Structure formats: C-alpha cells, structure tokens
Amino acid sequence: MAVTEAGNGTFGADAALECHINLSNGKFIKSSGTLSNPIQFLKGVGPRRAALFSQLGIATVGDLMRYFPRDWQNREETKDLTLPTATGLVVLKAKVVKAGNFQAGPRLALFKAKLNTGSGTVEAVWFKHLSRRFDVFASLKKEVVPGADLWVVGRAEPSLLGIREIHVDEHYLLEDQRWRLHVGRIVPVYALTEGITQRFLRELMNRALHESVEESVDILPKELSLKRELLAPAQAVKAIHFPGSQAELEAARSRLAYEELLLLELAWILKRRQTRSISKGFGYEIKRTLLTPFKKQLGFELTGAQKRVINEIFSDMQQGYPMTRLLQGDVGSGKTVVALSALLLAVENGAQGVFMAPTEILAHQHMNTITRFLKALPVRTALLTSRFKPKERENILTALRKGELDLLVGTHALLEEDVQFPKLRLGVIDEQHRFGVRQRSTLRQKSSLLDLLVMTATPIPRTLALALYGDLDVSTLDEMPPGKVTAETAFSTETAALEAVKEAVAKGRQAYIVYPIIEESSRLDLQSAKAEFKRLSETTLHGLRVALIHGAMPSRQKTVVMAEFAAGKSDVLVATPVIEVGIDVANATVMVIQNADRFGLASLHQLRGRIGRGTEASKCYLVADPKTEQAKARIETLVASSDGFRIGEEDLKLRGPGEMLGTAQHGELTLKVADIVKDAPLLAQARADAEGLLDADERLLSAGNTLLRERLIELYQHKWTWIDLA
Ligand code: ADP
Ligand code: MG
C-alpha cells in the first residue's frame, strides 16, 4: 500500500475522531408521572433529609427507586435455637417475660430482657452509651415490657449449647405492621450516609415503590425481553429492594444487570463502528529497511506469539482507519520488542512515533533498550522527561518540530502542549493502566489520525477486556521467550529471607529488598524504607554492599543507583516499588518483599517479575503478616501461581474492577448492578444482542428502539472522549 503524505487535519477528521455518538434527533421522552418529583416532598423527608439524600446522588423519586441495595440479608426467623448459625445472625419472634436496665460501667449501660420464643427462653441485651442529657433507654422502657410481642434482630456467639444470649441490633413491635419490611424476609442493605438509617430508608423505599414503581417504563425492545425471558421493569425494581425469595432476587438482579450491560455494549459497538468509518488517509508499506536490520541485531529469534502479534499490529496499521489496540502480555513476555517493531514500521514510512512510560526509571530503561536494539540504525531517537533542564528540553522540542527526530521516548512529559510533532502517527503507551484516562486521550489529540497501541502487563480474560475496553482490539502475548526461568515464590519469615539474600550474594548474585510505599508522597512510608536501609546495612547485612533507591530521589541519582546495581557495584538494593516496572538486571536472583500484605496482587506479580530475568534459578520471598482474608488470599495466589493471566483474574475477583482500573475509569462504566466478573455470561448475551440490534437498525431509529436510544444518549453521550481511548 502506498503512503500518502498528509498533514494533520487535512481530512477534516478531527471532529470525526471526537466520535460523538450521533443517533439523530429522536425526541427525549420524559416521564410525566411522579418519578421526577423531588424527593423532598415524600412523606418523612423534608429539606434537611433531602440534602442528605443528595449526597447519595438521589434527587427524585425515580433516583430513589434506582438506589439499589449494596447487599441483602436473609432475616427469616431463626427457628432452631439449639443450632449455632454460621453468620451469628439471629432473628426471633418472642414475648417479653421480664425486662430492665443496668449500669455496666461509668459510661456504658445495658438493657436486658428475658424473651420467650415459644420453644425456649433467651436473654436479649441492648448496649447503650450513657448520656447526661437524656435517658437512652426511654423508648425501650416503653416498648419492651412484659407481655409485649416483638421481633429482635441481633448476634449470638455460636455455642454448642445453643443460643443463650443475643446482642440486639434492631427490634420491632409485632403490633406495628411495618416489621414486615425489616424481618422475616430477605432485607435490603443500603449504602448510607450519616443521618439516614437502614430502617428509615427501607420504609421510605417501600412507600416510594408503592406509589410510583408501576410508572417504570421498559426501555428494552419487546423481542429481547421475550427472548431472554426478562422480568418487567416494575417487577424487577420492586424485587431488587424487597425480594420474595432468593430466586426472585436473582431474577430481578439479572434483569437489571442485563439492561446495564446491553447499554454498555451498545455504546462500545457504536463507538467502534464509528471509529472504523474514519479514514486516516494513509497506509503503511512494509519496506523492511529498518525492520530487517533490527531483527538481525536483536540476538534472539522472536517467539511465535511475538510474530503473530506483530502481524496483527501491522495489519491494523495498514488499514484505512486508526488503530486502537491493546497488547496484553505477562511480565517478561517481550512487549518492548513488539512495540519497537511497530514504531520502526512507522519510521520506515517517514512518520514519527512516541513511546510513553509511566515512570522516569522505566522511560530511561526503554531508552537504553532502544539504543541497544537500534544500534547503527538510522533512527533518530531522544528521551524526554519532566526532569529535563529547560535548555535540554528546548533542544529536543526544536528538533522534534523540525522533523529531525523520529522517535521520542518519555514520561507524561511528552503530553505537554508545546511538545509538537509534525508527523506523529504512532503512539505506544506502556503499562497503560498506570495512566489516567485523560492522559491517554491527550496523546491522541496530539495527532488526529494517530494509531495507538496500549500495553499492559496485567492481562485480563478476553471477555472482560472487551467489557472494559470495548472499542479496543486485543492482542495477547501468551508465550514466554525461551530459557526464561520462572521465579519460585515462598511465604517466608524475614530471617529466612535475609539468609537467602546473604547466600545469593556469597555466590556472586544480587538481591532486591522491597518496602511498600503506597503513595510516592507518603513521608512515613519513605522514612520506614530509609530506616530499614540503615538497620539492615548495620546489622544483618553488615559487610555487604547495600544501596537504596526510592521515588523521591532526584532522577539523576536514581539512574546512578540503578546503573551501579546493574553493573554489579552493589549487592543488595533496598527499594520502594519504583522498581516495580521494567528494571532488568539478570544477575539479581533474590527478591524479598517486606510487608507483602500491603501490596496489591498485580503489584506483587510485577515486582517479582524483576527477578528471573537471567538463566539462574530465582526466588521471591514474601514477608508478611496478613491480617485480612483478602491479604491471605493474595499471598496464597502468588505462591501457587506464576501465570499473569490467572493473577489478573484473581485480582479482578478480589478487588473488583473499580480498584483494579482506578475509580475514574470504572466510574465511567456506570454499572450499578452488573458485575463484569460474576456476570460474564450475561455480558456475552448482552454483547450478542447489542450486535444484533445494531445490525438490524444501525442508529436505533426504529420505533421499538426509541427508549433504548434515549437512555443510551443520556448515559454515554458525554463520555465519548474517554470511551475514545480507554
Ligand atoms: P515485558 O513484556 O515485561 O515488557 P520485555 O520486553 O522487557 O518484557 O522483555 C523481557 C526480556 O526478554 C528482555 O530482556 C528482552 O530483551 C527479552 N526478550 C524479548 N523477546 C525475546 C525473545 N523472543 N527471545 C529471547 N529474549 C527475549
Ligand atoms: Mg515492559
């Protein structure tokens, strides 16, 4: 394919790339009923509570009904008092036999009642902090009197002798029919804000549903509801708050989740089809003037996976529309070589490329790799980071503007406005999840017709990738370069780990000791890394050459420390996770990760990817005192598996997509009910149905699709800039 030269914007595609979803001018159908009424006017709310509700994003009655529970609790009556319940939750219907209050300490008081459940007696206890100003037991004294019938919800210590004593959280009088919302059933549990209780919200929700839920309109086309056997929306909304059974709850949840996922998939598919209709106005010719000498001087044969992925990328670049491709590959799978091949294809064709990395160290490392791999090739390459002196920076910018540079490597400093490229056509973003959504779209804005390759070492299953980055094409490096030794991982004590460090050093090897530092700015964490450096060099590791590296160091100093370690001038590198990505020292065979419970799963996997870079057997020691189940699960996963795909999936399960992707990105997904991990089968259905709908009606203009289209516009129209790239 011939290359046609084109300056930026010549094709008027700037606007087109904004990719506004243009589904044409259907009229918006506003509900005319009570759904749009302000919540303030619901009985029991008023202006003060309305302000609290607005903190929860609830302004109208419709919003309230769409404020779905974050969880549900099964509060069916506990029938058998002799059996300890698994959760400790106890729900009893009983008659009060005896009641009274006691002072239990200077500030704490108890109210105790003996209850008869019909099958036995139990002691119920309410705990209250004493108040000087009022009687904290006033209402209990009135309600919990001998002879009264009530429900109590509370906790009991599991005991082989059965339940003897309950700590009461809530109680309801049988004579007040409202108990039916709170006990003897599956009960909704909402995310709250101070000043609003579960009890109040449940009662308010019930009233709102009673008055308004029938007004819910079905935005889904009839055929789909029939085909997927979906509940009617009013029924689903009612049941998600107050389900009659577990099965009804499931049906309601999946109806609402399906709707969300269908909308999401419609948005992605529309977006993707739109991008594909843009013509970038040039193609690439595989000339091999650079690619062939590059391959020759690599010193190794590309893996089958690398070859396949390079082909996928090349064929994208040769398409008439801009590439948006995600390259997933485990730590060490050889993404850099793939990225370089793509960049060289661009350069062969007279274009410029950028290679953007999330940290200074990684940018430097890439620059070194590139210099090594491109030795003697006529590719003019420069590095740019935010730490450059004004003069150095200016020189680079001038060369860039004049077209005297082919390749620019750097950090987000590349994104600054005065960094201008006359012929930028390919952008590569390494460790894309480390960047914000905005930074990625800024890169694309530098050139309206940019081909974009984003890379990640935290691979996730393909179906999930499609849900999360639905308009991207996905390539996967599923093969490791030959001769890679996988590092073994062990859960260890500090003593044993440090012993291993000393042994390795005695054999001429090197080691990393990593401390968590959650925020680069966290002084406390930093101090502890420094203090530990001092402690270790003076005690256990005395006599070894120990160096320190952390994120707050001037970048020059970091580079020096790294270079010295790489050259074998130090034995042990005490580090914060600045070394997480990219560092490549083959002689380092031991890594000790201190307080490993404080790192995320993906981070730990990335960190340990820093060893096992050579041919020597390597070992990673996780030193931790995991206090939560999650932390334990993370460590167990790492010890058991070295497969990045499994770890990515596990990470997603443990943390949920929100944290994994960063809340900004996930927040944009606007999923309230659906969970892209657990609802993977629904997601597949939604994707197929969305394809079907758009194949039959590409702009959703038919009468049956009107409501769907309106909802889609409402949800996603203004989000296109990030959808563009994420
Ligand atoms: P990552 O995917 O983690 O970015 P890198 O691109 O840093 O991985 O590659 C890891 C190491 O493997 C580098 O030292 C690289 O030179 C080497 N490498 C890459 N591809 C191959 C290959 N096909 N055969 C042997 N070594 C390779
Ligand atoms: Mg890499």
Side-chain angles (χ1 to χ4, degrees):
M1 190 183 283
V3 179
T4 40
E5 280 295 332
N8 286 347
T10 336
F11 295 86
D14 277 314
L17 247 187
E18 281 296 312
C19 267
H20 282 288
I21 179 177
N22 185 356
L23 295 164
S24 147
N25 41 1
K27 278 197 211 77
F28 195 89
I29 299 179
K30 276 258 179 273
S31 71
S32 51
T34 56
L35 291 178
S36 51
N37 286 354
I39 186 162
Q40 180 174 343
F41 303 116
L42 272 183
K43 196 167 151 251
V45 179
R48 201 183 56 82
R49 283 214 170 99
L52 297 176
F53 275 114
S54 80
Q55 288 171 20
L56 299 174
I58 300 171
T60 65
V61 173
D63 296 339
L64 179 68
M65 289 188 337
R66 293 249 155 199
Y67 192 72
F68 299 136
R70 72 167 162 76
D71 200 4
W72 294 264
Q73 200 177 45
N74 192 342
R75 289 192 176 176
E76 271 156 48
E77 188 178 355
T78 311
K79 286 275 164 51
D80 191 347
L81 289 182
T82 63
L83 288 177
T85 62
T87 58
L89 180 77
V90 180
V91 181
L92 296 179
K93 189 157 76 173
K95 197 184 266 309
V96 179
V97 180
K98 208 165 80 178
N101 58 310
F102 305 86
Q103 179 130 358
R107 311 247 318 275
L108 187 71
L110 308 181
F111 188 95
K112 281 194 176 184
K114 189 180 229 175
L115 306 179
N116 186 338
T117 66
S119 63
T121 56
V122 286
E123 191 94 47
V125 189
W126 286 255
F127 291 88
K128 295 273 180 185
H129 282 292
L130 283 174
S131 162
R132 292 234 175 87
R133 282 172 288 132
F134 59 96
D135 180 2
V136 293
F137 294 122
S139 71
L140 279 172
K141 281 180 189 163
K142 229 184 310 159
E143 293 174 359
V144 184
V145 293
D149 288 307
L150 43 92
W151 283 93
V152 293
V153 180
R155 316 253 145 211
E157 285 295 317
S159 149
L160 286 179
L161 296 172
I163 296 166
R164 316 299 293 267
E165 185 180 288
I166 303 172
H167 297 176
V168 181
D169 297 325
E170 297 167 35
H171 72 275
Y172 301 91
L173 295 182
L174 209 64
E175 63 187 31
D176 180 349
Q177 287 299 317
R178 281 179 296 181
W179 66 260
R180 292 178 194 282
L181 295 173
H182 307 287
V183 281
R185 59 173 310 136
I186 298 172
V187 172
V189 180
Y190 299 98
L192 298 174
T193 186
E194 198 162 325
I196 294 177
T197 63
Q198 297 290 355
R199 188 170 183 163
F200 173 78
L201 188 49
R202 284 196 290 258
E203 291 180 9
L204 185 71
M205 191 67 80
N206 176 58
R207 213 170 320 124
L209 289 170
H210 189 72
E211 286 166 14
S212 310
V213 78
E214 295 304 330
E215 293 171 31
S216 310
V217 282
D218 197 348
I219 62 164
L220 299 182
K222 288 235 163 45
E223 313 80 66
L224 274 189
S225 304
L226 284 175
K227 175 172 149 205
R228 298 297 182 192
E229 301 181 330
L230 303 174
L231 293 183
Q235 204 185 346
V237 171
K238 227 179 331 183
I240 200 157
H241 292 288
F242 295 104
S245 65
Q246 197 60 42
E248 201 190 6
L249 174 58
E250 250 333 292
R253 216 195 60 82
S254 75
R255 161 65 171 78
L256 297 166
Y258 171 84
E259 183 177 313
E260 283 182 347
L261 294 171
L262 183 75
L263 285 158
L264 177 70
E265 290 299 341
L266 282 170
W268 281 133
I269 295 165
L270 274 165
K271 171 72 178 158
R272 183 187 170 91
R273 290 184 181 185
Q274 219 141 12
T275 309
R276 296 203 157 197
S277 70
I278 293 166
S279 166
K280 64 185 175 190
F282 57 82
Y284 292 95
E285 192 185 342
I286 301 179
K287 299 180 175 169
R288 305 192 192 283
T289 49
L290 296 172
L291 286 166
T292 302
F294 166 66
K295 271 214 294 224
K296 277 211 185 104
Q297 75 192 38
L298 270 182
F300 50 74
E301 185 66 23
L302 294 177
T303 64
Q306 283 170 320
K307 286 182 193 158
R308 174 173 46 77
V309 165
I310 289 172
N311 274 332
E312 286 167 3
I313 294 169
F314 280 12
S315 90
D316 265 15
M317 289 170 73
Q318 291 178 291
Q319 295 290 343
Y321 55 84
M323 165 170 81
T324 314
R325 187 169 280 276
L326 171 70
L327 171 56
Q328 307 198 107
D330 205 346
V331 181
S333 61
K335 294 186 289 297
T336 318
V337 172
V338 172
L340 270 180
S341 305
L343 288 163
L344 288 179
L345 179 62
V347 175
E348 273 188 358
N349 284 273
Q352 292 174 310
V354 292
F355 195 167
M356 189 162 83
T359 65
E360 298 262 335
I361 295 194
L362 192 54
H364 279 276
Q365 180 109 19
H366 279 326
M367 187 64 193
N368 290 343
T369 310
I370 291 173
T371 318
R372 188 155 44 92
F373 283 159
L374 301 189
K375 212 174 20 198
L377 290 186
V379 181
R380 297 160 300 176
T381 309
L383 176 72
L384 181 66
T385 77
S386 53
R387 312 238 181 178
F388 276 42
K389 299 216 178 75
K391 185 85 186 112
E392 289 173 295
R393 182 170 188 276
E394 198 41 52
N395 288 342
I396 291 170
L397 296 195
T398 309
L400 200 58
R401 265 195 303 270
K402 287 193 187 153
E404 288 166 3
L405 279 177
D406 304 309
L407 212 57
L408 189 60
V409 181
T411 57
H412 54 272
L414 298 174
L415 296 176
E416 274 158 43
E417 219 179 312
D418 56 347
V419 184
Q420 282 169 13
F421 307 78
K423 290 189 296 183
L424 180 62
R425 281 195 193 152
L426 176 64
V428 177
I429 302 182
D430 199 13
E431 309 292 342
Q432 66 91 27
H433 60 283
R434 296 288 207 91
F435 287 96
V437 171
R438 199 162 299 136
Q439 288 164 315
R440 297 200 298 268
S441 60
T442 310
L443 179 57
R444 188 160 241 177
Q445 279 155 22
K446 290 223 170 271
S447 164
S448 57
L449 303 172
L450 190 70
D451 283 320
L452 201 69
L453 178 66
V454 300
M455 309 201 291
T456 177
T458 311
I460 48 177
R462 199 183 170 79
T463 49
L464 294 180
L466 282 175
L468 295 172
Y469 320 103
D471 68 332
L472 294 178
D473 293 297
V474 182
S475 287
T476 304
L477 282 177
D478 50 8
E479 183 185 346
M480 288 302 219
K484 274 264 173 279
V485 285
T486 40
E488 215 185 298
T489 299
F491 185 25
S492 162
T493 61
E494 189 190 31
T495 318
L498 293 178
E499 209 44 53
V501 168
K502 285 197 279 189
E503 264 170 44
V505 172
K507 283 192 221 143
R509 306 279 161 251
Q510 290 162 286
Y512 299 101
I513 301 179
V514 191
Y515 287 87
I517 171 164
I518 306 306
E519 299 265 336
E520 290 270 315
S521 58
S522 162
R523 283 251 181 82
L524 217 66
D525 281 342
L526 190 58
Q527 267 166 12
S528 77
K530 284 182 185 162
E532 285 292 293
F533 164 69
K534 192 154 178 285
R535 176 179 73 93
L536 292 177
S537 9
E538 285 168 4
T539 58
T540 326
L541 303 182
H542 184 74
L544 305 190
R545 297 169 301 167
V546 185
L548 172 70
I549 189 167
H550 59 75
M553 274 178 175
S555 87
R556 187 149 311 180
Q557 198 183 343
K558 271 190 280 195
T559 314
V560 170
V561 174
M562 264 328 295
E564 285 181 357
F565 185 70
K569 289 186 186 148
S570 48
D571 304 312
V572 179
L573 188 59
V574 173
T576 62
V578 290
I579 62 157
E580 182 176 326
V581 279
I583 307 296
D584 200 353
V585 178
N587 193 44
T589 56
V590 171
M591 175 174 284
V592 179
I593 305 180
Q594 301 270 21
N595 304 324
D597 49 319
R598 287 183 59 191
F599 287 98
L601 199 44
S603 288
L604 288 168
H605 181 61
Q606 294 249 337
L607 273 172
R608 71 175 168 177
R610 300 307 110 218
I611 54 169
R613 313 283 295 181
T615 47
E616 290 291 319
S618 298
K619 195 152 177 178
C620 175
Y621 297 85
L622 304 176
V623 178
D625 177 17
K627 297 216 167 56
T628 64
E629 286 306 313
Q630 268 219 10
K632 267 182 218 147
R634 288 202 295 269
I635 287 173
E636 278 162 17
T637 305
L638 282 161
V639 171
S641 174
S642 60
D643 174 358
F645 283 80
R646 254 222 61 207
I647 289 174
E649 196 168 357
E650 210 51 44
D651 200 27
L652 201 58
K653 275 190 204 147
L654 287 172
R655 290 196 297 161
E659 277 186 68
M660 184 160 172
L661 297 167
T663 41
Q665 196 166 340
H666 181 246
E668 295 289 344
L669 284 180
T670 55
L671 299 177
K672 291 201 285 182
V673 183
D675 172 328
I676 54 168
V677 181
K678 292 191 205 119
D679 292 322
L682 273 184
L683 184 66
Q685 287 183 0
R687 188 161 183 92
D689 292 345
E691 293 272 4
L693 278 173
L694 290 172
D695 285 344
D697 179 7
E698 63 170 345
R699 308 179 85 184
L700 300 178
L701 286 171
S702 73
N705 293 334
T706 307
L707 292 173
L708 195 58
R709 188 182 67 225
E710 297 304 347
R711 185 88 181 110
L712 194 59
I713 291 171
E714 190 188 340
L715 270 180
Y716 290 106
Q717 169 100 312
H718 64 285
K719 288 177 181 151
W720 275 145
T721 36
W722 85 263
I723 285 180
D724 189 356
L725 227 173

